[in-house]
């Protein structure tokens, strides 16, 4: 009887330990919002604290951090490749035309990485996931919607400046080119219009809208004249203009601007030139709820572009270089 009881105790102990060990492992199949719940429940709160502090210090930083996630996902998937510095073996995406002297916020990502690794006790959270979480937290910090970020991405060990140059949408693209660009990523027109709403926050440099303010016909002439005063035909390439009238608030004025030909970029105003895209623009221009709901869904879809999972890639100790 004693032996039977001892055997039963050992069996129950083994089962308990096995169950506990299993529950402590991160999810390995696909992405899930709960990936870090057991391995490091402190991870997401740590990231949020740093993001909120960075955005409070500089409101523009929210748009910059959101843009990093966009430019990461559209180049060979959401794998943190945009964060890699140039080396003899890394053709850094930071040097690609859409990012060079434009992409910013890398120091904030470094700070987040250090803080989350300290909170977790070791490198557990990938740089790719940090970008995805930071994008959401930046939107929320500027008054926008929240969503459950799918997690479990791993980090790439390569980068591609060539792919960044070809796959990140250019500010002079017309609607067919934009639609084609998004379709190659598995995204639809609805995703294009909703995700373009990210331009309700932030700024653009003069060189990205110069051609529009001097040559486009579908632009409010008072706006064009005002912009020409500090973005002349030559020079002042880095001068900034806000993408909509409230660049530090995640609202719907971006879409209102498009209906009055006040989109800053040619690619922004292009959304008003196609029937299906224009209907979405009109809907979002007065319906916060519709825009926020679709933006959140499209952010999740974009975040699912070709993630590295399981044993693919690595978890970088330093987001700027491979281990």
């Amino acid at each position: 009887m004693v032996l039977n009881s001892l055997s039963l105790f050992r069996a129950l102990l083994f089962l308990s330990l096995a169950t506990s060990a299993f529950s402590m492992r991160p999810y390995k199949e696909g992405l899930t919002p709960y990936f870090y719940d057991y391995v490091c429940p402190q991870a997401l709160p740590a990231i949020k604290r740093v993001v909120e502090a960075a955005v409070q210090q500089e409101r523009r930083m929210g748009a910059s951090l959101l843009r990093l996630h966009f430019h990461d996902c559209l180049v060979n998937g959401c794998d943190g490749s945009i964060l890699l510095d140039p080396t003899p073996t890394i053709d850094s995406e930071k040097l690609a035309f859409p990012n060079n002297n434009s992409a910013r916020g890398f120091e904030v990502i470094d700070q987040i990485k250090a803080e989350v690794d300290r909170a977790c006790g070791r490198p557990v959270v990938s740089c790719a996931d940090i970008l995805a979480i930071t994008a959401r937290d930046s939107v929320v910090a500027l008054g926008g919607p929240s969503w459950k970020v799918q997690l479990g991405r791993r980090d790439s060990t390569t980068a591609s400046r060539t792919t960044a140059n070809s796959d990140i949408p250019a500010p002079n693209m017309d609607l067919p080119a934009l639609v084609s660009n998004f379709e190659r990523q598995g995204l639809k027109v609805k995703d294009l219009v909703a995700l373009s709403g990210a331009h309700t926050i932030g700024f653009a440099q003069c060189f990205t809208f110069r051609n529009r303010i001097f040559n486009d016909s579908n632009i409010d002439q008072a706006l064009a004249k005002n912009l020409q005063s500090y973005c002349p035909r030559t020079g002042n390439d880095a001068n900034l203009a806000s993408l909509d009238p409230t660049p530090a608030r995640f609202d719907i004025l971006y879409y209102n601007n498009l209906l009055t030909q006040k989109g800053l970029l040619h690619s922004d105003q292009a959304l008003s030139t196609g029937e299906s895209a224009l209907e979405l623009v009109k809907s979002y221009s007065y319906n916060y709820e519709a825009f926020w709901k679709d933006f959140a869904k499209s952010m999740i879809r974009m975040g699912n572009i070709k993630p590295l999972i399981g044993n693919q890639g690595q978890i970088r100790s330093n987001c700027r270089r491979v281990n």
Side-chain angles (χ1 to χ4, degrees):
M1 186 69 176
V2 174
L3 289 176
N4 288 340
S5 297
L6 184 58
S7 298
L8 179 60
F9 173 78
R10 287 174 174 170
L12 290 173
L13 179 61
F14 176 82
L15 179 60
S16 175
L17 291 172
T19 303
S20 177
F22 177 80
S23 68
M24 291 298 287
R25 288 162 52 198
Y27 295 84
K28 291 187 177 180
E29 298 299 327
L31 304 180
T32 169
Y34 314 109
F35 191 84
Y36 299 108
D37 281 9
Y38 293 109
V39 292
C40 185
Q42 305 91 343
L44 271 65
I47 294 171
K48 184 179 181 181
R49 286 194 300 272
V50 179
V51 171
E52 288 178 342
V55 173
Q56 184 175 11
Q57 181 176 353
E58 183 195 4
R59 303 290 283 176
R60 181 188 170 199
M61 185 56 68
S64 299
L65 295 172
L66 175 59
R67 186 169 180 251
L68 284 181
H69 182 48
F70 271 80
H71 284 207
D72 183 43
C73 289
L74 297 179
V75 182
N76 295 323
C78 310
D79 59 4
S81 57
I82 191 173
L83 302 174
L84 290 172
D85 284 341
T87 71
T89 58
I90 297 293
D91 191 18
S92 179
E93 293 163 23
K94 293 180 179 180
L95 302 179
F97 183 75
N99 296 326
N100 194 26
N101 296 320
S102 174
R104 60 195 297 273
F106 298 108
E107 294 80 7
V108 176
I109 299 299
D110 292 341
Q111 185 182 353
I112 292 171
K113 177 63 172 170
E115 185 64 27
V116 77
D117 284 0
R118 187 180 303 114
C120 297
R122 65 191 191 284
V124 172
V125 183
S126 68
C127 300
D129 275 351
I130 286 174
L131 287 176
I133 299 165
T134 297
R136 188 271 312 277
D137 291 348
S138 294
V139 169
V140 172
L142 293 176
S146 185
W147 60 92
K148 288 186 179 296
V149 180
Q150 300 292 307
L151 301 169
R153 302 169 190 82
R154 289 170 65 84
D155 298 322
S156 71
T157 57
T158 61
S160 177
R161 174 168 44 167
T162 300
T163 306
N165 281 327
S166 64
D167 286 7
I168 296 174
N172 62 349
M173 280 185 170
D174 58 18
L175 185 59
L178 289 167
V179 171
S180 176
N181 180 284
F182 271 61
E183 284 180 343
R184 289 197 302 272
Q185 303 285 0
L187 301 174
K188 300 178 180 179
V189 172
K190 192 171 190 177
D191 298 309
L192 166 63
V193 180
L195 292 174
S196 294
H199 284 178
T200 191
I201 54 176
F203 297 80
Q205 295 185 51
C206 167
F207 76 90
T208 65
F209 57 85
R210 174 181 284 123
N211 188 65
R212 170 159 169 74
I213 63 177
F214 283 103
N215 298 316
D216 281 7
S217 59
N218 61 342
I219 185 171
D220 179 86
Q221 290 306 302
L223 173 66
K225 185 175 181 180
N226 179 56
L227 291 170
Q228 289 168 8
S229 66
Y230 56 91
C231 182
R233 290 186 182 274
T234 59
N236 296 328
D237 284 0
N239 281 1
L240 297 174
S242 61
L243 287 157
D244 89 346
T246 54
R249 188 166 72 235
F250 199 92
D251 54 27
I252 54 176
L253 291 186
Y254 167 79
Y255 296 106
N256 284 272
N257 267 9
L258 300 186
L259 296 178
T260 54
Q261 297 190 331
K262 293 179 180 177
L264 181 63
L265 305 180
H266 180 91
S267 56
D268 289 330
Q269 197 61 53
L271 299 181
S272 68
T273 63
E275 184 176 350
S276 60
L278 179 57
E279 286 305 309
L280 287 165
V281 169
K282 289 178 178 177
S283 173
Y284 297 156
S285 72
Y286 66 85
N287 192 332
Y288 264 100
E289 185 177 345
F291 167 46
W292 283 16
K293 180 180 178 181
D294 289 348
F295 182 82
K297 287 182 177 179
S298 293
M299 285 295 292
I300 293 171
R301 276 195 285 271
M302 184 184 73
N304 286 335
I305 297 175
K306 295 187 290 187
L308 301 176
I309 58 174
N311 294 321
Q312 298 173 316
Q314 61 182 212
I315 304 298
R316 291 187 211 136
S317 298
N318 183 326
C319 288
R320 293 176 179 260
R321 58 175 181 264
V322 297
N323 295 341

